[in-house]
Amino acid sequence: MLCTLGLLGGAALLALHDSVRPADPPSAAAMDSTSPSPAASFAPLADPSRVRVSVPGFFSWAMLDRRTGAIVGSRNLTATSDTMSMVKVWLASDYLTHTNPRPDQAMLADLRRMIVDSDNDVATRVFGLNGGISTIERMVSVCHLTESAPNYKENRWSPTIVSARDVVRLGQCIATGVAAGPQWTPWLLTQMRQVRGEGDFGPRLAFPAAQRTQIAIKNGWFLRPEDRQWHMACLAVAPRWVMSVLLRYPQNLGVGYGEKACRQVATQLFGTTASASPAP
C-alpha cells in the first residue's frame, strides 16, 4: 500500500525523547464512562521520564491512563505518521457496527483473519465495503480524534494519518465499546489478544508471558519504497492503560529495529522485565 508522505507531519530527525508532557484532556466520549474523574487521586501507573529511546528518524509515543483519562507522551505526541495494518481494528469495528452488524460465520472468520493474521486482502475488501475513505472519516468523528485523517491522495487504508495521541484515543474508543458497540467489543478485543506471527511484537512483549494474555494489540509495519524507510505503528490496550508508538526510520536497520523500539518504550516506561513487572 503506497502513499506519499507529504501529508505526514515532521521531517526525519534523530529523536531522543527524555522528557514528556501531559496531553490535552480527552473528550468525555473517549473515556470509559465508569472511570473515576481525572481529578481523583491515583498513584501514577508508570514514570514517563524513564523513556529514552533513540531512533534515527521519526519517533513518537503516548500512554493513556484508563483510570483517569490522562495522556502523557513524547513532546511530539501530536505529530503524524501512518497506520499501516494497525487501522484494521477500526475497519473491523466499523464493519460490525455500520456496515453489517449481523455477519455470517464466513465473514467473522475473515475479520478474525484480518486482525489475528493481518490479512491485507480482507482489509482491502472491508475498506471498500465500509465505503472507502468515509470509514476513516467515521473513525475520526466517532473516536474524537484531532490530528488524524484519511489520506485523500491515496484512497487506501494503509496510509491513514494518525498521531500517537490519537492512537491511544482510538485504543480507548475500542476498549470502552464506543467503536464496536456492546455486542462486538468483547469479540474484537479477544481477536486483538490473539494476534500472532509477524504481527506479534511491541509493548506487550515487555511483560511476562502470563500477563501478555491480558493485553490486546494491533501493529502496522511496512517498508515504503517511496522514501525507503520502515514505517511502524504499535497499539497496545491493557486493563489500566493504552499505549502507542509511531516510527519511521532507514530501511537498512530492518524491521526488528522498530519492533525492539516499540518494546523498549514499555520496558522503560513500566520498568518491566520478561520475568517481573507490575500488572498491566
Side-chain angles (χ1 to χ4, degrees):
M1 304 293 177
L2 304 182
C3 73
T4 58
L5 293 179
L7 293 178
L8 302 181
L13 47 85
L14 180 64
L16 177 59
H17 296 277
D18 56 2
S19 60
V20 297
R21 68 166 193 174
D24 296 336
S27 66
M31 295 172 56
D32 188 342
S33 61
T34 63
S35 296
S37 163
S41 177
F42 284 95
L45 284 176
D47 182 1
S49 67
R50 290 175 172 174
V51 179
R52 296 170 176 262
V53 177
S54 179
V55 175
F58 175 86
F59 167 72
S60 180
W61 71 272
M63 184 193 77
L64 181 149
D65 186 335
R66 296 191 60 201
R67 305 167 307 169
T68 66
I71 300 174
V72 297
S74 56
R75 290 192 178 276
N76 66 341
L77 85 175
T78 62
T80 56
S81 193
D82 44 351
T83 61
M84 293 75 59
S85 291
M86 191 193 69
V87 79
K88 291 170 181 174
V89 293
W90 169 259
L91 297 181
S93 299
D94 196 36
Y95 183 87
L96 292 168
T97 55
H98 176 267
T99 305
N100 182 11
R102 296 180 179 83
D104 59 24
Q105 289 302 309
M107 191 65 206
L108 274 181
D110 283 349
L111 294 175
R112 170 178 165 76
R113 192 163 65 251
M114 180 176 70
I115 302 300
V116 174
D117 298 316
S118 210
D119 189 298
N120 289 336
D121 292 337
V122 175
T124 298
R125 179 158 56 93
V126 173
F127 179 75
L129 292 170
N130 287 355
I133 286 295
S134 62
T135 187
I136 306 303
E137 292 174 334
R138 279 193 295 277
M139 179 184 80
V140 172
S141 175
V142 169
C143 296
H144 299 270
L145 310 183
T146 54
E147 291 89 45
S148 301
N151 189 320
Y152 289 103
K153 291 185 178 180
E154 297 279 342
N155 186 18
R156 301 174 185 269
W157 49 267
S158 176
T160 296
I161 299 164
V162 289
S163 67
R165 178 168 70 172
D166 274 353
V167 173
V168 296
R169 290 168 169 168
L170 174 62
Q172 179 74 333
C173 186
I174 290 167
T176 58
V178 174
Q183 179 180 359
W184 292 110
T185 295
W187 181 90
L188 180 62
L189 289 171
T190 296
Q191 311 317 307
M192 293 173 67
R193 293 185 188 105
Q194 295 176 1
V195 167
R196 61 193 176 191
E198 61 180 341
D200 185 8
F201 61 86
R204 81 171 173 186
L205 295 189
F207 292 83
Q211 294 184 7
R212 293 174 196 168
T213 60
Q214 303 176 54
I215 302 174
I217 67 168
K218 193 71 190 94
N219 299 312
W221 66 103
F222 189 54
L223 177 59
R224 294 205 180 276
E226 62 267 33
D227 65 358
R228 298 183 180 180
Q229 292 191 91
W230 282 100
H231 290 223
M232 190 167 289
C234 297
L235 167 65
V237 180
R240 297 197 297 166
W241 51 261
V242 183
M243 276 190 61
S244 68
V245 184
L246 300 177
L247 300 159
R248 300 193 301 272
Y249 60 88
Q251 68 173 3
N252 63 291
L253 295 177
V255 67
Y257 180 91
E259 294 173 352
K260 181 180 178 181
C262 283
R263 183 177 71 250
Q264 282 181 321
V265 173
T267 299
Q268 294 178 7
L269 185 62
F270 293 102
T272 64
T273 68
S275 59
S277 68

